[in-house]
Amino acid sequence: MSMYQKMVNVIEQKVTPMAGAMGSQRHVIAIRDGFISALPFMIIGSFLLVFIFPPFSPDSSWGFARSWLSFSLTYREQLMLPFNLSMGVMTFFISVGIGASLGKHYKLDPIMTGLLAFMAFLLVAAPYKDGQISTQYFSGQGIFTALLTAIYASEMYAFLKRHNITIRLPKEVPTGVARSFEILIPVVVIVATLHPLNLFIESTTGMIIPEAIMHLLAPLVSASDSLPAILISVFICQILWFAGIHGALIVTGIMNPFWMANLSANQTALAAGNVLPHIYLQGFWDHYLLIGGVGSTLPLAFLLLRSRAIHLRTIGKMGVVPSFFNINEPILFGTPIIMNPLFFLPFTLVPMINATLAYIATKLGWVAQVVSLTPWTTPAPIGASWAANWAVSPVIMCLICMVMSAVMYYPFLKAYERTLLKQDKERSAQENENPITVS
């Protein structure tokens, strides 16, 4: 048995079932749905940073730049309001989204479940002191708390409902009123468990729950921003995709909480005029590692357009436009790349090499870091610049990654092209030897 066949067997027998189980796990789906529901608010909130912190040097002598900088500084508080009520409270949207998703799974009222999850988060992450509520944990610092409290609240609601621990009203009572009373006991249980727990942890450690969670996860959050973490996540994504499993959904579902926490930290540093602390964010993943889609196949789409094989040229024409917007299923399944041994090495190694180049360049200060959340369908050079507050260096880095991708894909594409041309030649020869006659 060849090495490739052994690898395929391991993927089919070990990796595929495990990835399938993980991808269909209700909490993983709920977390993914929570981030998806929050995405529009976070994208718009991030986009506002461009207007609040324009990409000009404070010492610029250009009149337009000076006017923009002056306007931003004068009205900073007013301009920050939409940002603070979108990115600044991302945990609100995520909590409600997770609760609603789990509510649908358990056939509960999604609105009520989402609101219960939201209340559970506020109960532990919004300390009240001196007549004011602290907003410290409403953004990235409270991401992990929002995930845990939303899951806990939703699961508790489902548990109570499943065991008929609820207030039932006569059928004549309107549905909306009946649902309001049905959730009374879950609300009491959530308050009676989370609030005392929060007070106990604070009295023993001096930290409320979100602060304690961030303290415990600090090493993991730090590790998630390292080059090994990037390479491992990319490798897992590529292996799963090569087996025909949507690896990006699984990997991004795991990485999203870390990305959002790190994005919030970068935005806080930007607002304070400090050095940005983090490199590996969603903008890094989308615009350096997934150029044209998983496997960075946009350069390959251009190469396919000039292929001598009719089949490959056709796939190139079909796939090049969607690839501009990071949709590359026509390339993956039409070429095909999925389960094609000739493309295993470039498909796996291209994004890993691009990740290494982009990480080192960013670490050395040659490339601007990500401060904004962008739609994943944004074309790579534009998205890379947008994510880094419209800096030019990410565009250059993205173009370098595209050139490197083309160089690495080219020899494997030529080998595959020769195979297809040989097959076409043999097929034509057979047809000439055995012409079809019509009687």
Side-chain angles (χ1 to χ4, degrees):
M1 185 182 291
S2 67
M3 182 64 70
Y4 171 74
Q5 191 58 48
K6 289 180 180 178
M7 182 198 70
V8 170
N9 289 342
V10 170
I11 291 174
E12 289 180 345
Q13 296 171 15
K14 304 292 185 182
V15 177
T16 299
M18 184 170 56
M22 183 181 296
S24 60
Q25 208 277 332
R26 64 181 183 279
H27 298 126
V28 173
I29 293 174
I31 291 172
R32 184 194 67 202
D33 291 345
F35 280 101
I36 290 174
S37 63
L39 200 57
F41 306 99
M42 294 192 290
I43 288 175
I44 296 301
S46 293
F47 185 74
L48 293 173
L49 284 180
V50 177
F51 300 99
I52 302 170
F53 302 99
F56 305 118
S57 168
D59 303 324
S60 175
S61 58
W62 184 27
F64 176 74
R66 294 302 315 159
S67 299
W68 192 345
L69 287 166
S70 176
F71 175 82
S72 173
L73 191 60
T74 303
Y75 298 101
R76 180 68 49 84
E77 187 174 340
Q78 292 88 336
L79 292 173
M80 284 293 289
L81 181 62
F83 172 82
N84 289 333
L85 295 180
S86 51
M87 281 296 300
V89 293
M90 68 170 76
T91 47
F92 292 7
F93 308 115
I94 292 170
S95 293
V96 174
I98 292 173
S101 178
L102 285 173
K104 289 179 183 177
H105 175 81
Y106 288 119
K107 295 181 172 54
L108 303 172
D109 183 356
I111 296 177
M112 287 298 185
T113 314
L115 291 176
L116 183 66
F118 178 44
M119 188 211 72
F121 170 73
L122 288 179
L123 201 60
V124 301
Y128 185 81
K129 188 177 182 181
D130 299 329
Q132 294 182 331
I133 292 177
S134 172
T135 61
Q136 180 180 356
Y137 299 104
F138 290 176
S139 58
Q141 289 290 307
I143 285 282
F144 297 99
T145 304
L147 303 185
L148 294 174
T149 53
I151 290 172
Y152 169 71
S154 304
E155 290 289 343
M156 181 58 69
Y157 185 14
F159 173 84
L160 295 172
K161 177 77 171 180
R162 194 162 53 245
H163 290 81
N164 293 318
I165 306 174
T166 182
I167 297 175
R168 294 184 178 277
L169 296 180
K171 294 182 179 179
E172 293 77 17
V173 176
T175 304
V177 176
R179 286 176 178 171
S180 297
F181 276 87
E182 180 184 275
I183 204 171
L184 281 177
I185 292 179
V187 170
V188 170
V189 172
I190 296 302
V191 172
T193 53
L194 286 184
H195 188 49
L197 176 64
N198 201 30
L199 293 176
F200 173 74
I201 291 176
E202 185 176 16
S203 66
T204 54
T205 67
M207 299 181 288
I208 60 174
I209 285 178
E211 188 179 1
I213 289 174
M214 288 305 295
H215 181 75
L216 289 173
L217 294 178
L220 194 58
V221 172
S222 178
S224 71
D225 193 38
S226 63
L227 182 57
I230 300 175
L231 296 180
I232 291 170
S233 57
V234 174
F235 180 73
I236 292 172
C237 177
Q238 299 307 116
I239 289 292
L240 293 177
W241 256 115
F242 190 77
I245 302 168
H246 202 310
L249 280 181
I250 296 173
V251 172
T252 55
I254 295 170
M255 293 304 302
N256 261 326
F258 298 98
W259 288 341
M260 291 304 122
N262 291 343
L263 176 63
S264 179
N266 273 13
Q267 291 174 340
T268 301
L270 176 67
N274 298 329
V275 177
L276 305 186
H278 299 293
I279 295 175
Y280 188 32
L281 305 174
Q282 187 166 348
F284 187 99
W285 168 273
D286 285 341
H287 306 306
Y288 297 139
L289 315 185
L290 273 67
I291 301 172
V294 66
S296 292
T297 56
L298 179 59
L300 177 61
F302 287 121
L303 293 175
L304 290 174
L305 290 173
R306 299 182 61 83
S307 174
R308 291 184 298 144
I310 297 175
H311 166 71
L312 296 181
R313 276 204 313 275
T314 303
I315 296 301
K317 292 175 183 177
M318 290 172 54
V320 69
V321 173
S323 289
F324 270 112
F325 303 97
N326 303 320
I327 299 168
N328 65 342
E329 277 78 3
I331 302 293
L332 294 179
F333 294 99
T335 304
I337 292 177
I338 302 302
M339 297 303 289
N340 185 338
L342 272 173
F343 283 105
F344 174 74
L345 279 178
F347 182 69
T348 305
L349 294 179
V350 162
M352 296 180 72
I353 292 173
N354 285 347
T356 304
L357 293 174
Y359 183 87
I360 292 174
T362 307
K363 193 75 172 177
L364 293 173
W366 298 346
V367 178
Q369 289 160 252
V370 173
V371 293
S372 293
L373 189 64
T374 57
W376 64 270
T377 50
T378 309
I382 298 172
S385 178
W386 176 0
N389 210 17
W390 298 108
V392 176
S393 55
V395 176
I396 298 172
M397 187 70 249
C398 189
L399 294 175
I400 291 173
C401 288
M402 291 176 69
V403 171
M404 289 296 296
S405 301
V407 169
M408 287 185 281
Y409 270 117
Y410 183 76
F412 296 92
L413 173 62
K414 297 307 290 184
Y416 185 50
E417 182 184 85
R418 285 192 294 270
T419 300
L420 293 181
L421 291 174
K422 183 180 178 181
Q423 291 174 354
D424 289 342
K425 187 176 181 180
E426 292 174 352
R427 192 180 302 112
S428 297
Q430 290 177 356
E431 290 175 354
N432 291 333
E433 291 176 3
N434 304 292
I436 299 175
T437 58
V438 179
S439 58

